[in-house]
Amino acid sequence: MRNQKRVLSDAGMSTVEYSIGLLVAAALAMLLYSVVTGGEVAAGLLGLVRRALSFEP
């Protein structure tokens, strides 16, 4: 019988790495949502949209 070497590879992420990545992505999404829905940012975005939609030559 031949002696076959087993090749170990680190292709892809493990379940723990997936879950940590998912938690980080969710935390960043919550942070971005809280910043965008904040008073000053929301008012600025609304003003920008209103100015873009109003046509004044």
Side-chain angles (χ1 to χ4, degrees):
M1 295 202 156
R2 294 172 75 191
N3 188 8
Q4 296 179 351
K5 291 185 179 180
R6 185 174 176 186
V7 178
L8 300 176
S9 67
D10 269 347
M13 294 193 301
S14 68
T15 305
V16 174
E17 290 168 331
Y18 275 120
S19 61
I20 291 172
L22 183 63
L23 287 174
V24 169
L28 287 175
M30 288 174 35
L31 178 65
L32 180 63
Y33 179 77
S34 66
V35 167
V36 170
T37 57
E40 292 181 21
V41 175
L45 289 174
L46 184 60
L48 182 67
V49 170
R50 284 184 180 163
R51 190 171 55 208
L53 293 177
S54 67
F55 178 73
E56 296 178 20

